Amino acid sequence: MLDSLFAQFDSILVLDTETTGVVPRRDEVIELAMLRVSAQGEAEEYDEFIRLSPGRELPRHITELTGITEDMLRGGVGKDEAARALAGMLGHGRTLVVAYNAQFDLLFLYYLLDAYSLAGALRGALFLDALTVYKDRRPYPHRLCDAVEAYALASQNTHRAIDDTHATYELLCAMDAEEDDLARYVNLFGYNAKYGLPKKRISSVTYRQQGFDAVGKLYETETE
């Protein structure tokens, strides 16, 4: 499984975050989960709540969505510890970083790392957005829970980071079994024309407009 990817990478690192909102510069990561799978099939997990900055409060709608409470966060790790753990996971040889809607998670994680002068851990990293692949495979809607249902996955999308990393990895395996072209999506992210190109872009990533209903492969379209 994932033979084409493991031919190029020593490990696949699946990331997921839960946050206080949707603005990376302003909002905070409150849960970070990482699932690293090696080419030999060995798996390593990290899942921690992250304490809020002094004076910050957890929005009620985030608790309703995720089940995470301020009491749970108070028992979590500091942002510095989470940043060091992330940098360490990124440092395992040739690592492919995977997330579902990777643009969102990666921007939050950049700011988390940058606050502790660790953003260099992302330098030269290669990324795969499982959402971009899924949009080429199935019509709208494209939430992770829709992908779980479409592929009848055992893992579930729960809006808890560790569960969603497992669902994303299982989805990646299912899409690979369906068609062996995942390597062609490395550092290729789709974006919705309605919202335009992301205002904050990852310099190593190619962004291409991607519709709701797949009419071809994104990697076969012209670079924008």
Side-chain angles (χ1 to χ4, degrees), residues 67-217:
I68 297 172
T69 66
E70 289 198 2
D71 283 344
M72 294 163 73
L73 297 183
R74 280 191 281 271
V77 301
K79 291 178 174 56
D80 56 339
E81 182 177 333
R84 288 194 298 271
L86 173 58
M89 282 283 207
L90 289 166
H92 282 272
R94 300 175 302 161
T95 299
L96 176 65
V97 179
V98 178
Y100 196 87
N101 192 14
Q103 177 77 12
F104 178 89
D105 293 294
L106 290 172
L107 290 186
F108 269 96
L109 294 175
Y110 168 80
Y111 287 113
L112 176 66
L113 290 167
D114 191 53
Y116 301 97
S117 301
L118 293 171
L122 287 169
R123 190 174 298 117
L126 296 176
F127 310 109
L128 192 152
D129 179 24
L131 171 60
T132 293
V133 182
Y134 182 65
K135 283 184 174 181
D136 270 1
R137 302 294 182 89
R138 297 291 191 276
Y140 182 84
H142 295 122
R143 296 168 299 176
L144 180 55
C145 62
D146 299 311
V148 167
E149 182 178 356
Y151 284 91
L153 305 181
S155 299
Q156 296 297 309
N157 167 218
T158 66
H159 293 293
R160 285 295 304 277
I162 192 61
D163 294 335
D164 291 356
T165 59
H166 282 277
T168 298
Y169 183 75
E170 192 175 344
L171 172 64
L172 198 68
C173 292
M175 292 191 298
D176 177 66
E178 182 178 58
E179 186 171 356
D180 183 16
D181 65 350
L182 295 183
R184 301 192 67 177
Y185 290 91
V186 172
N187 276 17
L188 175 63
F189 288 8
Y191 72 90
N192 188 330
K194 177 180 179 180
Y195 303 108
L197 281 162
K199 293 181 180 178
K200 178 72 174 179
R201 302 174 208 168
I202 301 166
S203 61
S204 60
V205 168
T206 296
Y207 295 90
R208 296 184 186 175
Q209 184 176 315
Q210 188 175 31
F212 284 116
D213 296 308
V215 293
K217 298 296 186 182

